[in-house]
Every structure is written in structure tokens, then in C-alpha cells.
């Protein structure tokens, strides 16, 4: 389960009754269990806008890690943002 940094994992009451007892705090606790477990993992979301991605392409930088691979490949293959200063 992905969580935001500093935010506790909160589920609706019905889910809490099922998931709460299964929460573990380390990857090692996920194996060797008789029933499934839930490991909350903090993930910091990137603040990325379409404008940032377009600007990167137009200035010759590849925003490979700002978009899914399929999106990146599509943009590159079709040269969607090719223009002055864009990579050829």
C-alpha cells in the first residue's frame, strides 16, 4: 500500500477491520506468513506538469523518468514536441 510521507495509512472502517491486523513494518515480514500481509510504503509524488515535460523535450532534454515508458516512446517516435532545439 502506497502512502504519502508523514501521513498515516487510513482506510474506511470496513477495510481497517480486515487490513489492520495484517499490516507489517518490514519487507522481511511479508514472507513465511500463513495469510497475506500489507506493507505500507511511503512514496513522494513528483510534482510534474505537462508543461514541464513539453519544455524538457523542446530544450533537448529527455524526460524519460517523468512519463511511463510507453508514453515516452510514443512522443519520441512521433516527434510530438520536435521543434527548434529539440533532439532529432
Amino acid at each position: 500500500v502506497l502512502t504519502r510521507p508523514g501521513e498515516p495509512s487510513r482506510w474506511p472502517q470496513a477495510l481497517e477491520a480486515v487490513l489492520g491486523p495484517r499490516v507489517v513494518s518490514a519487507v522481511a515480514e511479508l514472507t513465511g506468513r500463513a495469510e497475506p500481509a500489507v506493507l505500507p510504503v511511503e512514496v513522494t509524488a513528483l510534482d510534474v506538469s505537462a508543461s514541464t515535460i513539453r519544455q524538457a523535450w523542446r530544450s533537448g532534454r529527455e524526460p524519460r523518468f517523468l512519463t511511463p515508458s510507453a508514453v515516452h516512446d510514443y512522443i519520441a517516435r512521433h516527434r510530438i514536441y520536435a521543434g527548434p532545439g529539440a533532439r532529432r
Side-chain angles (χ1 to χ4, degrees):
V1 175
L2 302 179
T3 63
R4 292 186 174 137
E7 294 288 325
S9 297
R10 292 188 187 135
W11 298 296
Q13 189 174 6
L15 279 177
E16 180 64 38
V18 175
L19 298 179
R22 297 179 181 203
V23 173
V24 297
S25 59
V27 173
E29 296 176 68
L30 293 172
T31 60
R33 295 175 54 96
E35 37 183 67
V38 175
L39 174 66
V41 177
E42 284 190 3
V43 177
T44 302
L46 294 175
D47 186 19
V48 179
S49 68
S51 298
T52 300
I53 294 168
R54 284 191 297 271
Q55 183 59 37
W57 277 102
R58 288 184 177 133
S59 65
R61 298 182 321 257
E62 275 199 20
R64 179 166 294 282
F65 301 107
L66 300 179
T67 61
S69 295
V71 172
H72 175 274
D73 295 345
Y74 183 89
I75 291 169
R77 183 172 46 256
H78 295 283
R79 301 180 46 153
I80 292 174
Y81 298 122
R87 292 172 113 176
R88 301 282 181 202

